[in-house]
Amino acid sequence: MRWSLHMRRRALGDPASEGRRVWEWIQRVRPLHPSLDLWRPTADSPQEAEQSPPITQDYLLQEIHQTQIDWESESFGVAPAFSGQINQGSKLELYFNMPNPGDASIGLAISEALGAALDASEAFADTLMHTTASIFTPNVIGALTRDDIPITPTPPPYRYLPGWKMFFASDSPHYQRATQLATRTAPVANGAIFTFGTPDTYPTILN
């Protein structure tokens, strides 16, 4: 199955300082799976990606800085890097001051290889969610979502893609309802990760 991971948080500083937190996250997830070990710059062609050296923290911060200049806005997004095999990797996406001022988000469009690991091991899915929530506290909301699940016509009240595993901050108005619906709850950082059934049943539970 194809998966996506998203986590929105309250930024603790400017985009550069948030970029350092992203770099810390990359270092933390690298040992979790072979496809997360090598991170390359996003490139215009497979040949360019093949020739590019692995990203560094300096490269990541420069990409964030340059994208903010190019967008000429405090609100901007950037896809600076990917991990895993060329043309089959997991794409990193970062957003700043979106959708609200002071917000920052990380997204990972998960590769087939990494998705297969999630399919095979719920413990791995838990570790990936827990690591992400721990690094980016204070989080607002997050989700590990199957990409092949149709989006419901009526947006959920929490205004986020529903996921098999979701993070809600303890002060979220949706925290108590998530507690009632979840089949498993794991406190972490400033909230908890909620598991809703299985990768096949979570849309029914959340609907």
Side-chain angles (χ1 to χ4, degrees):
M1 289 178 280
R2 298 302 297 263
W3 294 89
S4 297
L5 171 68
H6 297 277
M7 192 80 70
R8 189 166 82 223
R9 63 192 183 275
R10 298 300 296 170
L12 297 181
D14 61 11
S17 64
E18 290 301 304
R20 294 185 188 96
R21 297 174 79 189
V22 173
W23 182 252
E24 181 186 354
W25 175 82
I26 289 174
Q27 304 315 303
R28 287 274 297 276
V29 300
R30 284 180 65 192
L32 299 183
H33 189 267
S35 72
L36 291 170
D37 184 50
L38 177 62
W39 292 77
R40 292 184 176 99
T42 302
D44 294 329
S45 70
Q47 293 77 16
E48 185 180 339
E50 186 71 53
Q51 295 166 6
S52 298
I55 67 166
T56 63
Q57 178 175 282
D58 287 345
Y59 168 85
L60 179 64
L61 298 183
Q62 178 58 34
E63 281 294 294
I64 292 170
H65 176 67
Q66 187 59 50
T67 302
Q68 185 174 16
I69 292 173
D70 293 343
W71 279 46
E72 299 180 341
S73 171
E74 292 296 314
S75 305
F76 66 99
V78 58
F82 72 96
S83 70
Q85 295 185 19
I86 293 169
N87 277 346
Q88 301 176 40
S90 298
K91 184 173 72 170
L92 178 67
E93 301 167 335
L94 308 174
Y95 299 94
F96 300 91
N97 295 303
M98 298 168 70
N100 307 304
D103 284 351
S105 297
I106 185 170
L108 191 68
I110 290 172
S111 69
E112 193 171 319
L114 191 59
L118 292 170
D119 295 340
S121 171
E122 183 170 3
F124 174 60
D126 288 333
T127 300
L128 185 60
M129 281 290 289
H130 190 280
T131 301
T132 305
S134 298
I135 291 286
F136 292 114
T137 187
N139 301 284
V140 177
I141 190 171
L144 181 65
T145 299
R146 267 180 63 180
D147 289 351
D148 61 330
I149 298 290
I151 297 175
T152 54
T154 304
Y158 42 82
R159 299 185 179 278
Y160 211 71
L161 281 177
W164 173 36
K165 295 180 181 291
M166 296 192 70
F167 175 92
F168 286 100
S170 56
D171 60 357
S172 165
H174 311 292
Y175 186 91
Q176 290 304 321
R177 184 60 176 150
T179 302
Q180 295 166 359
L181 293 176
T183 50
R184 192 154 56 86
T185 302
V188 60
N190 62 309
I193 295 166
F194 300 93
T195 300
F196 301 104
T198 70
D200 294 318
T201 62
Y202 78 81
T204 303
I205 294 172
L206 290 174
N207 284 344

